[in-house]
């Protein structure tokens, strides 16, 4: 597998072409950004730990039959993935109220959503990723109704798998963001699942173990991400 020219650079990852047209390399950067990149930092080791955690989640989801762009981990900070046509809609699943929903709707933090909420956001930095509804998706021709139904179905399945798994390992899955892509006729999970894109709270202490540490200066980011990885890998004394 040959790494070729850069195809796209985002805030946290770079996509490179390979010598195979249907496969690309996703490189995890050490950059951390928050609040539309108003807050930025280079955090040594973040790329490696996010690649490790994302690989762990993609493998877990593959075992449970969730289709994704993931092929394999290539190196400490690189993953081989299928090239997909990204649907420019961010899908957020919420089990407990935190973050933007608390601010936007005045819902009390930690309010439980049962069934979980599924929300859509337009993936557009210039517009600050505004929240949208299904009708906006169709009006803007971003995806077809059957594709939206599939994204919702997969998002809720992924939530059940991850929520249960995290709970067994001492972590509350508060909320997370997913992106999906088209691979031929199939809708597959794309992008990443990591502490950059999820809210994880320690079941016992309530400590934030995700990017909120960086957003709100709650503590060392790598220390939190390492706790997530240790719990996932079962290296802790079982909570
Ligand atoms: O900011 P908000 O509360 O809407 O975020 C919900 C979840 O989605 C959080 O876990 C956050 O990390 C994630 N998210 C993300 N990328 C975005 C927006 C939200 O990963 N652009």
């Amino acid at each position: 597998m040959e790494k070729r020219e850069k195809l796209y650079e985002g805030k946290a990852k770079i996509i490179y072409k390979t010598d195979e047209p249907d496969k690309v390399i996703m490189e995890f950067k050490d950059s951390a950004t928050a609040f539309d990149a108003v807050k930025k930092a280079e955090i040594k080791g973040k790329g490696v730990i996010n690649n490790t955690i994302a690989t762990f989640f993609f493998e877990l989801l593959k075992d449970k039959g969730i289709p994704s762009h993931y092929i394999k981990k290539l190196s400490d900070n690189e993953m081989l993935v299928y090239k997909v046509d990204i649907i420019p809609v961010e899908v957020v699943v919420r089990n407990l109220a935190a973050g933007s929903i608390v601010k936007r709707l005045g819902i009390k933090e930690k309010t439980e959503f049962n069934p979980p909420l599924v929300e859509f956001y337009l993936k557009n930095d210039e517009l600050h990723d505004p929240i949208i509804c299904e009708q906006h998706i169709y009006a803007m021709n971003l995806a077809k109704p059957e594709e939206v139904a599939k994204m919702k179905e997969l998002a809720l399945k992924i939530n059940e798998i991850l929520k249960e798994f995290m709970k067994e390992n001492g972590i509350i899955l508060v909320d997370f963001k997913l992106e999906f892509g088209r691979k031929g006729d199939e809708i597959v999970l794309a992008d990443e699942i990591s502490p950059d894109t999820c809210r994880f709270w320690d079941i016992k202490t309530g400590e934030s173990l995700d990017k909120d540490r960086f957003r709100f200066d709650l503590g060392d980011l790598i220390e939190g991400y390492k706790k997530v990885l240790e719990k996932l890998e079962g290296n802790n004394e079982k909570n």
Side-chain angles (χ1 to χ4, degrees):
M1 178 64 54
E2 201 182 301
K3 190 171 181 176
R4 297 216 172 142
E5 73 267 27
K6 194 191 283 188
L7 204 56
Y8 168 80
E9 177 156 7
K11 285 174 280 197
K13 295 185 294 293
I14 306 175
I15 305 293
Y16 293 92
K17 279 190 178 176
T18 71
D19 50 340
E20 295 182 43
D22 65 330
K23 299 185 181 87
V24 293
I25 292 173
M26 190 159 83
E27 184 186 296
F28 289 74
K29 302 201 288 185
D30 280 346
S31 322
T33 63
F35 313 118
D36 283 329
V38 168
K39 184 169 178 172
K40 285 184 218 170
E42 280 301 297
I43 301 180
K44 201 168 176 299
K46 175 173 164 288
V48 169
I49 196 157
N50 268 354
N51 188 34
T52 309
I53 294 174
T55 297
F56 188 97
F57 285 136
F58 279 127
E59 291 280 355
L60 173 72
L61 293 171
K62 185 167 81 179
D63 287 349
K64 304 279 184 188
I66 302 291
S68 81
H69 69 160
Y70 171 80
I71 302 171
K72 63 177 178 180
K73 190 177 175 190
L74 281 183
S75 73
D76 282 355
N77 68 342
E78 295 167 312
M79 186 185 278
L80 185 67
V81 300
Y82 287 109
K83 190 170 190 291
V84 298
D85 167 27
I86 292 283
I87 296 173
V89 172
E90 299 190 337
V91 180
V92 169
V93 180
R94 299 183 189 271
N95 295 305
L96 293 178
S100 70
I101 197 165
V102 172
K103 272 193 162 178
R104 184 182 307 113
L105 302 180
I107 297 174
K108 202 166 168 283
E109 190 174 58
K110 299 193 178 80
T111 301
E112 195 180 338
F113 300 120
N114 193 8
L117 284 183
V118 180
E119 299 173 340
F120 302 110
Y121 293 81
L122 181 65
K123 196 171 145 65
N124 183 319
D125 284 343
E126 267 174 42
L127 299 176
H128 314 293
D129 298 343
I131 191 165
I132 54 176
C133 69
E134 256 182 75
Q135 281 65 35
H136 292 125
I137 295 179
Y138 308 137
M140 295 172 78
N141 213 6
L142 304 175
K144 296 192 203 105
E146 57 271 28
E147 292 176 322
V148 172
K150 192 72 198 175
M151 291 198 285
K152 259 200 275 187
E153 180 199 320
L154 286 172
L156 287 170
K157 267 193 197 160
I158 292 166
N159 183 47
E160 286 313 309
I161 295 165
L162 295 187
K163 189 169 67 176
E164 199 50 43
F165 185 85
M166 300 309 279
K167 193 174 152 199
E168 282 169 14
N169 289 284
I171 295 176
I172 300 170
L173 175 61
V174 176
D175 58 30
F176 58 97
K177 183 264 304 181
L178 301 173
E179 292 181 28
F180 292 92
R182 300 180 185 96
K183 179 174 164 262
D185 290 339
E186 199 186 8
I187 297 290
V188 301
L189 173 65
D191 194 53
E192 68 178 301
I193 304 181
S194 75
D196 268 11
T197 63
C198 303
R199 282 197 173 88
F200 294 135
W201 293 346
D202 188 297
I203 283 182
K204 271 192 187 165
T205 64
E207 184 187 12
S208 278
L209 302 175
D210 54 68
K211 204 165 91 174
D212 276 350
R213 294 172 82 89
F214 172 71
R215 291 187 186 102
F216 306 113
D217 300 315
L218 301 178
D220 183 74
L221 179 134
I222 296 292
E223 201 179 292
Y225 287 24
K226 271 191 182 154
K227 281 189 193 170
V228 172
L229 185 59
E230 279 167 16
K231 284 173 185 287
L232 291 182
E233 290 178 338
N235 292 338
N236 60 334
E237 68 290 358
K238 234 10 184 186
N239 323 316

